[in-house]
Amino acid sequence: MKHKDSGTMKHKDSKPASQPDKGSRVVPMAIMFVVLCGFSFYLGGIFCSKDIYSTNGVANTVESPKETVASSGPLKIKSMAFPECSREYEDFTPCTDPKRWKKFGVHRLTFLERHCPPLFERKECLIPPPDGYKLPMSWPKSRDECWYRNVPYDWINKQKSNQNWLRKEGEKFRFPGGGTMFPRGVGAYVDLMQDLIPEMLDGTIRTAIDTGCGVASWGGDLLDRGILTVSLAPRDNHEAQVQFALERGIPAILGIISTQRLPFPSNSFDMAHCSRCLIPWTEFGNQSPSLDTRGIYLLEIHRILRPGGFWILSGPPVNYENRWRGWNTTVEEQKSDYDKLQDLLTSMCFTLYNKKDDIAVWQKSKDNSCYSKLAIPDAYPPKCDDGTEADAAWYTPLRPCVVVPNQKFKALALQSVPKWPKRLHVAPERIGDIHSGSASAFKHDDAKWNERVKHYKKLLPAFGTDKIRNVMDMNTVYGGFAAAVIDDPLWVMNVVSSYADNTLAVVYDRGLIGTYHDWCEAFSTYPRTYDLLHLDGLFTAESHRCGMKYVLLEMDRILRPNGYAIIRESSYFVDAVATIAKGMRWGCHKEETEYGIEKEKILVCQKKLWYSSNQSSR
């Protein structure tokens, strides 16, 4: 363990300079050995603990529960009360904080990527809601309107008023379903898309990603069509795209395709979409004599898109023949841009699948036969070398090469995956790549979570009703929790720890959505964006790395007022979690598990709605 390792290292560094006479110094040496070991163990405990729990009101860290539960009982910490953050932090997103943008480069908009603050800059306070905050509207009403004071930003309303993204009417924002490329409404836009892609109608396509999502009207419309979309946008001058999406009850996270891979596994999304998202798909070529990076953003779309999956583009340069006059350009320039795009897509083994009016659809190759051309000398883009981890996507740089799907998976292509909803309960082929993963383990996990969720609903009657819409499973394995609530009026963001077994591909293969994350850092979302947070043994698994207090403060940041947390933990941690939660103004009660076992307990908590005691600066 960490303490013992530190002590041992100090002991090894404390060897005497010369060897004493063994016969005359045995007893003194034995005594010195014991004293040094004890002293170094003590020092090691002090220094190691500072990184984890040495915070105001919280006792120093203890050793792993595996070694201390039996001897010392449950972890105990002192009670505490967290202060309120100032009002300037109402919409604080620690790892995408505009106040820190000037510290980072503008090339490829890297300043919009994740840049988390150092430990000493972490906030140890509670984020207040805006003045006049009201509990969010329930689904499906929330898809069409939300309270203005919950997301009090007028930039989109003013700048996009002619495109019907949203409209301010009295105390509410209304979302009429407009967009830059769908002036007749998102419904008509998706209807045309379904004409071009019949696979959207029969359960073949289940998961999608929308890059540059606006207020996520596209993803919201697809929910009624059985397609689950991750809407993606950076924190930028549109002020609150992702916050609007989540306030509406539509899945979304903060993110941008820049220099790092998106936090998703390879070959996972069935469909990707860009509606005038302003991503320079063909740029960044010839930046240096030794590196060609043309189409590097398209290469990332290729990586995360399933074989046989679809990429949809509307906006420049599609339909340039009829649209170029409104784009402040020339028809020759737009034709050149379209030809470059088509050439790049072809080089990546995409083929033009269908095209009509403002929408063009390309399909990624269903098999690997096309990729043989990448072996030709000087071909661009080249094939990624065998050492490239296709699923590595947590602070992993983009590379100007094609990630070729692993040939050992015969059922990875979109047309080979069972159609929705059957695929939800079929063990995916990729489960065999996971340590201890198997079809029987998958079925056991599903059965286990069905029983657990039934028990949760007894403990929390609001679970499964319209009071809970945005849900996060903070450390899933196969997505069993999300599968067990699939018929409820909610959606689940499945989070797989960047330090755990990489099971996120299995989550996507069964038609669910999720992301990689490290809970030692802040999540890529705004405050007050989830109704229910669920975790299963997260502190048992991660407490040696992540400070419990900071994880709980992050949970408080992203949880909506009156929202819930279901915390399933070892008996060792439950009381300590409850103590910290009380200091965050949560009300918690401890419950037995469905099997009543002593080593594990459940905390059911609710975050209280409170308003800042500070006067508003507005």
Side-chain angles (χ1 to χ4, degrees):
M1 298 308 299
K2 196 169 185 180
H3 290 57
K4 292 186 177 180
D5 288 345
S6 298
T8 302
M9 289 175 66
K10 288 178 180 290
H11 170 64
K12 288 180 179 179
D13 292 339
S14 302
K15 291 180 182 179
S18 60
Q19 294 294 327
D21 179 79
K22 293 181 180 179
S24 62
R25 305 291 297 276
V26 170
V27 175
M29 280 299 296
I31 294 173
M32 184 179 293
F33 181 86
V34 171
V35 171
L36 284 175
C37 278
F39 186 64
S40 62
F41 181 85
Y42 173 75
L43 289 177
I46 290 176
F47 288 113
C48 287
S49 67
K50 288 186 177 179
D51 289 337
I52 305 181
Y53 293 129
S54 59
T55 55
N56 294 335
V58 184
N60 284 343
T61 187
V62 297
E63 295 169 65
S64 166
K66 292 181 180 178
E67 297 194 8
T68 58
V69 170
S71 60
S72 60
L75 173 64
K76 300 293 184 182
I77 61 174
K78 296 177 182 179
S79 61
M80 67 198 73
F82 295 98
E84 298 174 10
C85 299
S86 63
R87 301 200 65 86
E88 63 182 306
Y89 292 103
E90 285 177 1
D91 292 320
F92 184 44
T93 54
C95 296
T96 50
D97 184 3
K99 293 180 180 179
R100 304 180 71 243
W101 284 352
K102 291 182 180 179
K103 297 182 179 181
F104 308 102
V106 297
H107 174 64
R108 285 169 56 178
L109 303 180
T110 53
F111 66 95
L112 293 176
E113 293 186 300
R114 285 178 61 87
H115 302 286
C116 297
L119 293 177
F120 62 85
E121 289 185 13
R122 283 182 173 180
K123 301 300 174 186
E124 297 184 27
C125 53
L126 306 179
I127 305 291
D131 282 345
Y133 180 88
K134 297 182 180 181
L135 297 182
M137 297 180 183
S138 58
W139 183 264
K141 187 178 181 181
S142 63
R143 176 165 45 193
D144 300 321
E145 60 185 39
C146 75
W147 297 113
Y148 167 74
R149 297 308 311 176
N150 289 12
V151 194
Y153 300 112
D154 290 325
W155 191 93
I156 296 178
N157 181 46
K158 293 175 180 177
Q159 298 297 320
K160 303 288 185 179
S161 59
N162 63 325
Q163 297 171 10
N164 286 321
W165 284 27
L166 53 79
R167 289 195 303 265
K168 185 176 182 295
E169 297 180 2
E171 294 185 347
K172 297 178 181 178
F173 274 129
R174 297 192 185 276
F175 302 92
T180 307
M181 295 308 302
F182 28 95
R184 294 190 296 119
V186 68
Y189 176 80
V190 177
D191 286 343
L192 174 58
M193 195 174 294
Q194 286 184 162
D195 290 341
L196 300 178
I197 313 172
E199 290 86 347
M200 292 176 64
L201 295 166
D202 65 359
T204 299
I205 292 175
R206 165 62 181 172
T207 59
I209 183 170
D210 188 12
T211 54
C213 64
V215 294
S217 292
W218 186 74
D221 181 88
L222 288 174
L223 288 169
D224 280 345
R225 306 177 193 238
I227 297 174
L228 192 56
T229 304
V230 175
S231 293
L232 183 80
R235 180 160 186 163
D236 65 356
N237 63 345
H238 285 188
E239 268 191 314
Q241 296 177 81
V242 165
Q243 195 172 17
F244 275 119
L246 289 159
E247 187 69 18
R248 300 176 69 186
I250 301 170
I253 62 172
L254 288 166
I256 184 173
I257 309 180
S258 177
T259 67
Q260 307 286 327
R261 283 180 172 180
L262 296 176
F264 311 115
S266 64
N267 307 303
S268 292
F269 287 99
D270 304 334
M271 180 167 66
H273 172 255
C274 164
S275 173
R276 196 162 187 170
C277 58
L278 305 181
I279 296 174
W281 297 112
T282 61
E283 290 185 16
F284 304 113
N286 302 317
Q287 292 174 312
S288 70
S290 60
L291 181 64
D292 190 347
T293 57
R294 285 172 293 152
I296 196 166
Y297 301 150
L298 278 174
L299 286 165
E300 178 62 357
I301 293 297
H302 178 279
R303 184 187 72 85
I304 63 175
L305 200 60
R306 187 179 298 281
F310 298 95
W311 184 59
I312 305 156
L313 178 65
S314 64
V318 176
N319 199 16
Y320 67 87
E321 302 95 330
N322 300 308
R323 294 287 190 183
W324 66 271
R325 291 180 181 83
W327 295 341
N328 297 319
T329 183
T330 66
V331 67
E332 291 80 13
E333 287 176 346
Q334 286 300 301
K335 181 180 186 305
S336 175
D337 287 348
Y338 184 82
D339 290 343
K340 288 178 184 177
L341 180 66
Q342 179 62 55
D343 289 346
L344 277 169
L345 287 164
T346 300
S347 70
M348 297 174 194
C349 294
F350 282 93
T351 55
L352 184 62
Y353 185 78
N354 219 332
K355 181 180 174 184
K356 185 176 181 181
D357 298 336
D358 295 322
I359 300 176
V361 182
W362 285 267
Q363 185 176 33
K364 180 177 173 178
S365 178
K366 301 177 184 179
D367 56 48
N368 284 14
S369 58
C370 170
Y371 299 110
S372 59
K373 67 183 181 182
L374 302 182
I376 299 173
D378 299 323
Y380 185 85
K383 175 184 175 183
C384 290
D385 59 64
D386 293 337
T388 301
E389 290 287 341
D391 291 346
W394 187 246
Y395 295 118
T396 302
L398 293 181
R399 295 183 60 187
C401 58
V402 176
V403 175
V404 177
N406 194 326
Q407 288 187 321
K408 75 177 182 179
F409 297 120
K410 306 302 181 185
L412 192 59
L414 181 60
Q415 291 71 21
S416 302
V417 175
K419 294 183 178 181
W420 181 261
K422 183 179 178 181
R423 68 192 279 187
L424 181 65
H425 298 296
V426 175
E429 186 181 21
R430 286 195 277 188
I431 199 170
D433 258 13
I434 300 166
H435 177 68
S436 300
S438 65
S440 60
F442 177 86
K443 292 179 180 178
H444 173 75
D445 188 74
D446 260 11
K448 175 182 73 177
W449 281 108
N450 283 332
E451 291 302 312
R452 288 183 172 187
V453 167
K454 287 178 184 177
H455 185 61
Y456 290 166
K457 290 181 176 179
K458 293 177 183 177
L459 302 179
L460 181 58
F463 193 13
T465 73
D466 63 4
K467 295 183 183 299
I468 294 175
R469 173 62 185 172
N470 301 349
V471 179
M472 179 186 291
D473 191 5
M474 293 174 61
N475 59 326
T476 193
V477 179
Y478 301 136
F481 171 83
V485 298
I486 199 67
D487 293 325
D488 293 334
L490 55 81
W491 59 272
V492 179
M493 179 63 71
N494 293 280
V495 179
V496 170
S497 170
S498 57
Y499 281 79
D501 287 339
N502 187 358
T503 59
L504 192 55
V506 170
V507 171
Y508 274 92
D509 286 349
R510 64 189 306 189
L512 303 170
I513 58 172
T515 181
Y516 297 118
H517 185 62
D518 177 2
W519 283 110
C520 296
E521 300 180 0
F523 192 77
S524 295
T525 191
Y526 285 84
R528 303 173 302 278
T529 46
Y530 282 86
D531 298 303
L532 173 66
L533 303 176
H534 171 260
L535 64 83
D536 176 23
L538 177 65
F539 298 116
T540 299
E542 303 273 4
S543 64
H544 65 290
R545 295 193 312 108
C546 308
M548 181 189 298
K549 179 182 69 172
Y550 291 112
V551 175
L552 286 163
L553 282 170
E554 175 62 5
M555 292 170 65
D556 181 80
R557 185 185 73 87
I558 68 179
L559 193 61
R560 285 172 165 174
N562 276 19
Y564 301 93
I566 298 177
I567 300 171
R568 189 183 190 100
E569 263 301 345
S570 69
S571 300
Y572 178 73
F573 282 111
V574 165
D575 290 338
V577 171
T579 299
I580 299 174
K582 185 177 180 180
M584 299 190 307
R585 311 182 191 184
W586 290 12
C588 298
H589 51 94
K590 184 164 64 173
E591 302 286 353
E592 298 293 327
T593 66
E594 59 280 357
Y595 300 117
I597 56 176
E598 188 58 34
K599 66 179 182 179
E600 190 177 48
K601 300 295 180 183
I602 297 171
L603 275 181
V604 179
C605 302
Q606 185 173 27
K607 175 182 174 178
K608 296 178 181 178
L609 172 59
W610 56 271
Y611 295 96
S612 175
S613 58
N614 301 318
Q615 291 296 315
S616 174
S617 59
R618 296 184 195 281

